[in-house]
Amino acid sequence: MRVRVLGSAAGGGFPQWNCQCPNCGALRRGKIKARPRTQTQVIFSPDSKVWFLLCASPDLRQQVLAAPELAPPADRPSPPIGGVFLPNAEVDSVMGLLHLREFQTFFVFATRGVQCVLQRENRIFGVLERANPPVKWQTLSAKGRLGCHMSEDSSGPADFICATVPLGGCYPDYVSEEMLRAVPPEEASIGFVIEQSEKRLFFAPSLSGSSAMWKSEVESADATLIDGTFWSDDELMRTGRSSKSAREIGHVPLSGPGGLLEQFPTKGKGRKILIHLNNTNPILDEDSAEHRMVLDAGFEIAYDGMEFEL
Ligand SMILES: [Zn+2]
């Protein structure tokens, strides 16, 4: 399976349009050794022909245009995008669906809870139904395994498996109280294990800390793309971006007691790659001590254009 990172930043990207934190300010002035990054978007392909999207990033239009493999082939009117997997209903994960609205049909894989939030409470996503045939919603359970096919004909053996892993966490702030009472909490945020030919890719861009089920997946994955949003729990407060801690907005920080670096299983042999990096995160500065520390701990740091084969 081929995997490409089209975007590696958290919400807002890097730099963020309204942010003057040390990272964003220095990047604008050319005073930092760091790469600009668009918002988190990963694509994978079991056969290098049909591609699937993990997340639907707010930057999806520019990301698709920059990925020649996603362009419609000369002999066919439709692009080789088989489907989109949504890990949660956060704006950063779903807004890109609106970029895919041009009368195109494809599969959208999401939990029932995420589907309810998008379909019943956010009517703008109804534009996806204008395609003929309309977009096909596929229901994922918070913990399960789904055989997936690359073609419309799903009678043969699955081309790959998508296993789902509950990551804890909450539904986004914009979801109404009434909807929150109606949707299962465990369906708010899930990770994906994509399995093909005995290779496993684990994608978990948002670790809340309230579930530890991600740990066993890390141990068996050949590559893990995991939540590297914040370095420290008080990062947003110190940079004046928010009065909330990293944990309060659903992300275990990398450093400190109970942080990802401390919790990460030592048994796993696969590549461990940090993704969904917030613009305030000091690991973005390639000359920083924090950048060096994560590399020394055996992690890679995702960047836009990163590509690998499993
Ligand atoms: Zn910033």
Side-chain angles (χ1 to χ4, degrees), residues 13-16 18-25 28 239 241 278-281:
F14 178 47
Q16 179 174 311
N18 62 345
C19 187
Q20 192 58 277
C21 72
N23 279 347
C24 291
R28 284 196 191 90
T239 52
R241 297 305 310 169
N278 199 58
N279 57 78
T280 50
N281 192 328

